[in-house]
Amino acid sequence: MQIESIAIENFRVFKNTKLDHLPRLITLVGANGTGKSTLFDVFSFLKDALTQNVSRAVLKRGGFNELVSRGTTGPIKITLKFRESGGRLATYELTINKNSKGMPIVAREILKYRRGQRGKPWHFVDFSNGTGYAIINENRYGDVDAKAERQQYVLDAPDILAIKGLGQFKEFQTVAEFRSLIENWHISDFHINDARQSNDVGYAEHLSTQGDNVAQVAYYLFFSHQEVFNKIIETMARRVPGVTKIEAKPTEDGRLILRFQDGAFQDPFIARFVSDGTIKMFAYLVLLNDPKPFPLLAIEEPENQLFPELLPELAEEFREYARRGGQVFISTHSPDFLNVVKLNEIYFLKKVAGFTQVIRASDSALFNDLIQAGDVPGALWMQGLFGELK
């Protein structure tokens, strides 16, 4: 699946914001406080609302009154347009409001596909306040003469997403696919110190959002996906001069540590003595070479702790991940990173009257002319020209 557009209403700094024509690699730039982290929190909010419930997702962020845009009473609305595995354009609309007791509820939830260019869309899911219907003959979708067969359902509570319950059943394939998409989003909250720590012996198939299980994932890849592990080592040796070998080593007291071999030294370095950049690059390569890629990655400021010359290399690793089918959102302040992304992959966030607007750089005739004349996006960013985008 690929998200093609995101529309957000009344979610903190996003009073009425839309990101359209989204490619597989999206780079977000803007001054501090313009909403880059908030956009990633929209992804986290949807995932929390699905895996837990809407009330917990809202309370985790300080409550409805703290989450809703200043000066408004709501509702909060998030709309995603995406291509499902069959290539059809789908729309998911989620509207969150408060009930009479002030508790967050799902005021409306819709998952729909349009039948061709002019066909009336089928609402595979349409729920309000905990009740609604789902289409039970989705196998007929696409038939010219097919009519939707609907069945009513009542959820356990009005703060539960319908896609959470219905997505567990095979007969709702469309709903299940969308539920799986959100459940497998990876919104990175990487911390260097967590990645340095030793872990209990065992394995993990996927890198956690904090990166604290990188040794366990390396252990798993070494024994279960040797070719992937070898590719990571080869890439590290190519991208980070000096690193010739990496191993996940069990200790006598039942812990697992990472050891990095530098060709200039006889003994390997334990992870806690290796540079921040080396650890971070290794963790990113473990994430980007996952045998089962996440459908969406959201990573904030990958340039932190990395040598500037590594950023173009890392950007290419992100692009390769996107080519394999994942969709990658990156926020950055780095001109080195911007220099190797395409103009239509750059989205500029700025505050206007206290709320965020998002502008795609390739929509600017000036920027297109400057790039054609030989300028690079990073130079335009350093010159402050992004602030002139309208």
Side-chain angles (χ1 to χ4, degrees):
M1 285 186 174
Q2 176 179 343
I3 299 173
E4 297 202 351
S5 71
I6 306 168
I8 311 165
E9 298 177 27
N10 297 326
F11 190 103
R12 290 185 169 157
V13 295
F14 296 120
K15 186 175 182 180
N16 189 1
T17 306
K18 187 174 184 180
L19 287 80
D20 216 345
H21 306 293
L22 292 172
R24 287 217 168 260
L25 179 63
I26 300 99
T27 307
L28 307 170
V29 295
N32 291 332
T34 54
K36 300 185 296 296
S37 296
T38 304
L39 178 61
F40 288 178
D41 192 46
V42 170
F43 297 138
S44 295
F45 175 80
L46 286 172
K47 187 171 181 177
D48 289 343
L50 174 64
T51 57
Q52 301 172 36
N53 58 43
V54 167
S55 291
R56 291 186 180 180
V58 171
L59 292 174
K60 182 178 179 180
R61 290 159 178 82
F64 189 87
N65 292 336
E66 290 295 320
L67 190 60
V68 72
S69 298
R70 294 190 310 274
T72 69
T73 58
I76 296 168
K77 186 175 181 180
I78 301 170
T79 303
L80 300 179
K81 291 185 182 294
F82 62 95
R83 293 283 173 185
E84 50 83 52
S85 58
R88 299 172 297 189
L89 183 64
T91 301
Y92 179 71
E93 298 175 4
L94 176 63
T95 304
I96 308 296
N97 214 334
K98 297 186 295 183
N99 63 14
S100 59
K101 297 181 179 179
M103 295 300 296
I105 60 169
V106 181
R108 190 78 186 274
E109 182 184 12
I110 299 172
L111 177 61
K112 61 185 178 181
Y113 290 163
R114 180 171 294 281
R115 302 169 70 190
Q117 294 296 320
R118 299 182 180 180
K120 186 177 179 180
W122 276 22
H123 287 204
F124 284 86
V125 170
D126 195 333
F127 275 70
S128 298
N129 303 315
T131 63
Y133 68 81
I135 287 178
I136 59 175
N137 67 326
E138 68 172 85
N139 61 316
R140 294 291 311 279
Y141 181 83
D143 294 351
V144 177
D145 57 346
K147 293 183 179 180
E149 297 178 10
R150 299 176 173 86
Q151 185 165 317
Q152 294 292 128
Y153 294 91
V154 178
L155 302 175
D156 289 340
D159 64 343
I160 297 175
L161 296 186
I163 60 171
K164 178 177 182 178
L166 298 175
Q168 300 179 62
F169 300 100
K170 291 182 179 180
E171 58 263 37
F172 301 112
Q173 183 177 350
T174 300
V175 183
E177 186 174 356
F178 184 66
R179 169 184 166 155
S180 177
L181 170 73
I182 296 178
E183 283 181 331
N184 289 291
W185 285 350
H186 183 97
I187 301 93
S188 179
D189 186 24
F190 183 81
H191 300 285
I192 287 289
N193 289 336
D194 290 340
R196 292 184 183 281
Q197 296 176 6
S198 59
N199 298 94
D200 292 336
V201 171
Y203 72 90
E205 295 187 16
H206 307 288
L207 191 69
S208 68
T209 56
Q210 294 82 15
D212 57 350
N213 65 343
V214 63
Q216 292 170 312
V217 180
Y219 192 80
Y220 165 72
L221 292 176
F222 179 81
F223 286 102
S224 300
H225 296 276
Q226 185 70 53
E227 73 288 351
V228 174
F229 187 84
N230 290 341
K231 179 183 176 183
I232 292 172
I233 303 307
E234 291 168 5
T235 305
M236 282 291 293
R238 188 170 68 253
R239 307 295 198 199
V240 184
V243 175
T244 57
K245 183 180 179 182
I246 302 171
E247 61 180 353
K249 183 78 172 178
T251 65
E252 293 182 359
D253 59 352
R255 293 176 297 118
L256 195 65
I257 60 172
L258 280 174
R259 302 204 309 175
F260 292 77
Q261 180 70 56
D262 189 312
F265 298 90
Q266 182 176 356
D267 298 322
F269 294 96
I270 297 175
R272 65 175 179 269
F273 300 121
V274 176
S275 72
D276 288 350
T278 299
I279 288 287
K280 192 167 189 180
M281 191 68 176
F282 179 69
Y284 279 146
L285 290 175
V286 167
L287 174 64
L288 295 172
N289 286 279
D290 193 306
K292 295 181 180 179
F294 297 99
L296 180 146
L297 293 182
I299 298 176
E300 289 197 71
E301 300 179 11
E303 64 266 23
N304 292 341
Q305 291 97 30
L306 284 183
F307 188 58
E309 290 185 4
L310 283 178
L311 293 176
E313 310 279 355
L314 182 59
E316 287 307 311
E317 295 294 335
F318 285 131
R319 186 178 302 285
E320 179 59 29
Y321 186 93
R323 290 193 191 103
R324 292 169 55 203
Q327 192 167 21
V328 185
F329 287 75
I330 303 290
S331 71
T332 185
H333 294 282
S334 168
D336 297 288
F337 193 94
L338 287 175
N339 281 341
V340 292
V341 298
K342 301 174 184 176
L343 202 59
N344 71 327
E345 296 171 335
I346 302 173
Y347 289 73
F348 176 63
L349 284 70
K350 68 176 182 178
K351 284 277 193 70
V352 177
F355 296 103
T356 297
Q357 290 184 357
V358 182
I359 305 163
R360 188 172 59 158
S362 60
D363 289 340
S364 166
L366 171 63
F367 270 42
N368 280 288
D369 290 342
L370 291 172
I371 295 299
Q372 287 291 327
D375 274 314
V376 289
L380 303 180
W381 170 249
M382 292 298 292
Q383 294 170 41
L385 293 179
F386 274 81
E388 299 180 12
L389 289 173
K390 297 180 180 179

